[in-house]
Amino acid sequence: MRPTLIPVLFVLSAACVPGLCGNEEPPALQLGAPAETRSGFAALDDVRLLANGLLQLGQSLREFVQRTKGQINDILQKLNIFDHSFYQLSALASEIKEEGEELKKTTVVLKANNDEIKDLSFQINSKMDSILQEKSRLQNKVEGLENKLSSLSHGLVTTEQVAEINGLRDVIHTQERSIIELLNAVREQNDQINHQQTKIKILEEKLTANTLAQEIERMPESFNSEAPTLTPFLTSSSTRNPEMMNLPTDCSELFSRGERVSGVYAIRPKGSEPFMAFCDMSKDYGLTVIQRRTDGSVNFDQTWEKYENGFGYFQGEFWLGLRKIHSLATQGNSVLHVQLEDWKQVRRSIEYIFYLDGPESNYTIRLTHLSGDLPDPMSNHTGMMFSTKDRDNDNHQDLNCAHSNTGGWWFNACGDVNLNGRYFHMRPKGRSERRRGIQWKPARKASYFLKLTQISVAPPSSSLTSSETGVLL
C-alpha cells in the first residue's frame, strides 16, 4: 500500500488548482483568441519513473542494512573467540604461577634438608678422622707388640704372654671390622647426599625453566636473544668431600655402576673439576650429551664466552660448553655420536673417533669416520678451530661464517655442516636463509632439513654399529 500513496501525493502536489493554490483570479479571456487548455496534474510517466527510483533506493538501503548487520555479527563472534582465548591464557598463566610457587616451597625444604645432611656429613667425617687416628694408634701398638714378640722369640714365651698377645690381636681385628662397617655406612651416606644434591640441582633447573616460561609470556624478545648459562664447574668446598672424589668420569661409567635412568648427574672426568651433565641411558650404554636441539626454544647464536661455558637447559635445548667437552675428550679415544631426525621422522646417526684440543688452540677438532648410516660431510671440518660471531677462526678470508650462517661451529669455509644454526619450523624458501639454519649437507646433495639433533660423547666400547640408528629423547 505504501508505494501507491507516494505517486498520489506527488499528483496532488503537482496539481495546482487555482482555488486551492492561491487567491489569484484567473486571467480574463481575450476576445477573438482561442482559450488554451492547461492541465493541473504531473505526467503519469514522470510519476512512475520517480516511484521506481524511490523503490530501488529503498531496496538498496535494505540490503545495506542487512550487510551491516552481518558484519556486526562477525565482529561479535570474533570478540567472543578472543575473550575465550584470553581467558584460557589467563588460566594457563595462573596454573604456571601456582606450579612455580610449589616448586619454590619444595626447593626451600630440600635446601634445609641439604643443610642438615651437610652437618651430618661433617660429623661423620669427624668421627672418621678419630677412628682413623685410633686405627693408627692400634697399628703402632701392634708393631710394638710384634717387635717385642720377635725379641722374645729367642727365649721362652710364657702362657700368659701368649694369651695377652692373642687377646690384643682379637681386639685389633674387632676394631678393624668396626672401622670397615663404619666406612661402608659413610659411603652409603655420601651416596645418599650425592643423590639428594642431584635432585636439588634438577629441581632448581625446573624452577628456573618455569620462571623463564613466565618471563617468555611477558618478554619474548629478550628470551630469544640471550640464552642462560649452564651450571659451571662445581668448585665449592663440597668438592673436597670423599663423595666428590668418587664421582664417575662420564655417563658410561655411571651406566656400568647400575644407573639406568636418563637425567642430570654430577660427573668428574680425569684431571677436571666436577660438573653437571645430561646422561642418555636409553641404550645399552651411557652417553654424555653435549648438544641437543628439539624445538627452537633456545637461541644458539651466542658469543664465544657462552659457547665456552655452556648455555640452555638440560631438560630442553642446551650446549654443554667447550671447556667441559674438552675435559671429556682428553680421557682417551672418545667416540662422537651425531644423531639426527628430519621432519619426515627419519632418524639416522654417524660416529667418529673424536679428539678436541684445548683453549690455546681454540678447541681444534680432530675426527676419524667410524660408522653410521649418514653421509659424512664432517671429514672436511677436521683440524678446524671453533668459531663464533665474535671470534672468527674459519678459513674464509672475506666472511665470518659464524656471523653469516649464525651459531658457533667448527667452520671450514662456511661449509655445509652446522648443527648450531637457526631453528626453522618451516623450510625456508631462500637459499641464503637455508644456509643460516641447522644443516647437514653432503657435497653436491640436498641438505637435510632437521627437526631434532643430539651430539654425545662415549668411550670406544660404546660405539654404535653401522646398522643402528639414533633414538632421540
Side-chain angles (χ1 to χ4, degrees), residues 201 229-239 244 247 249 266-277 305 307-310 314 320-328 330 359 363:
K201 289 288 184 183
T229 304
L230 283 180
T231 305
F233 288 94
L234 305 176
T235 56
S236 63
S237 59
S238 61
T239 59
M244 287 297 180
L247 290 175
T249 57
I267 62 174
R268 186 183 187 127
K270 296 178 182 179
S272 170
E273 294 293 333
F275 56 87
M276 306 302 293
E305 181 181 1
Y307 268 99
E308 193 169 36
N309 296 323
F314 281 128
L320 183 62
L322 292 168
R323 293 175 58 196
K324 301 171 187 176
I325 300 172
H326 170 66
S327 66
L328 291 168
T330 54
Y363 302 101

Side-chain angles (χ1 to χ4, degrees), residues 32 43 66 71 95 98 103 106 118 163 201 242 244 251 263 285 295 310 320 325-326 343 372 445:
Q66 291 177 351
Q71 293 174 354
E95 292 178 0
E98 292 175 359
L103 286 174
T106 308
K118 286 182 179 178
K201 289 288 184 183
M244 287 297 180
C251 296
Y285 46 86
D295 54 11
L320 183 62
I325 300 172
H326 170 66
W343 288 85
K445 292 183 180 179

Side-chain angles (χ1 to χ4, degrees), residues 83-308:
D83 290 341
H84 182 67
S85 301
F86 182 78
Y87 175 76
Q88 290 179 340
L89 289 174
S90 301
L92 182 59
S94 299
E95 292 178 0
I96 293 174
K97 186 175 181 181
E98 292 175 359
E99 291 178 358
E101 294 296 332
E102 291 295 331
L103 286 174
K104 288 181 181 178
K105 293 178 182 178
T106 308
T107 302
V108 172
V109 174
L110 288 176
K111 285 185 177 178
N113 294 337
N114 189 31
D115 294 336
E116 294 178 1
I117 292 172
K118 286 182 179 178
D119 294 337
L120 182 60
S121 177
F122 178 76
Q123 295 175 5
I124 293 173
N125 289 332
S126 300
K127 290 182 180 179
M128 279 288 301
D129 293 336
S130 62
I131 292 171
L132 291 174
Q133 292 175 1
E134 182 68 18
K135 181 181 178 181
S136 177
R137 187 175 63 83
L138 290 174
Q139 286 178 347
N140 292 331
K141 285 184 177 182
V142 171
E143 291 176 358
L145 289 173
E146 288 177 349
N147 292 331
K148 288 182 181 180
L149 183 60
S150 62
S151 63
L152 292 173
S153 62
H154 299 288
L156 296 175
V157 180
T158 63
T159 306
E160 291 80 4
Q161 290 175 336
V162 172
E164 183 181 359
I165 292 172
N166 291 332
L168 287 173
R169 285 179 178 174
D170 292 338
V171 172
I172 290 171
H173 289 317
T174 303
Q175 289 286 348
E176 286 183 351
R177 285 195 298 270
S178 300
I179 290 171
I180 291 172
E181 291 176 358
L182 186 57
L183 286 174
N184 291 331
V186 170
R187 289 193 187 96
E188 292 178 358
Q189 188 69 28
N190 287 335
D191 292 340
Q192 292 179 1
I193 293 172
N194 187 20
H195 187 62
Q196 188 77 7
Q197 288 178 343
T198 302
K199 284 185 176 180
I200 291 174
K201 289 288 184 183
I202 295 173
L203 189 59
E204 287 177 349
E205 289 183 359
K206 288 182 179 179
L207 180 60
T208 303
N210 199 350
T211 304
L212 189 66
Q214 297 179 13
E215 293 178 356
I216 290 174
E217 286 189 33
R218 301 170 189 168
M219 297 180 297
E221 294 181 358
S222 61
F223 168 77
N224 290 332
S225 61
E226 188 70 17
T229 304
L230 283 180
T231 305
F233 288 94
L234 305 176
T235 56
S236 63
S237 59
S238 61
T239 59
R240 295 191 292 270
N241 293 336
E243 64 180 18
M244 287 297 180
M245 302 301 295
N246 195 33
L247 290 175
T249 57
D250 56 14
C251 296
S252 64
E253 182 177 340
L254 188 65
F255 187 90
S256 65
R257 293 184 183 183
E259 186 61 55
R260 295 295 183 270
V261 179
S262 299
V264 182
Y265 297 90
I267 62 174
R268 186 183 187 127
K270 296 178 182 179
S272 170
E273 294 293 333
F275 56 87
M276 306 302 293
F278 188 90
C279 296
D280 180 4
M281 305 295 192
S282 61
K283 305 172 183 61
D284 294 334
Y285 46 86
L287 288 172
T288 307
V289 182
I290 65 174
Q291 185 257 34
R292 186 168 59 192
R293 309 290 298 277
T294 58
D295 54 11
S297 58
V298 174
N299 183 8
F300 272 62
D301 190 19
Q302 300 296 328
T303 61
W304 178 271
E305 181 181 1
K306 287 281 189 179
Y307 268 99
E308 193 169 36

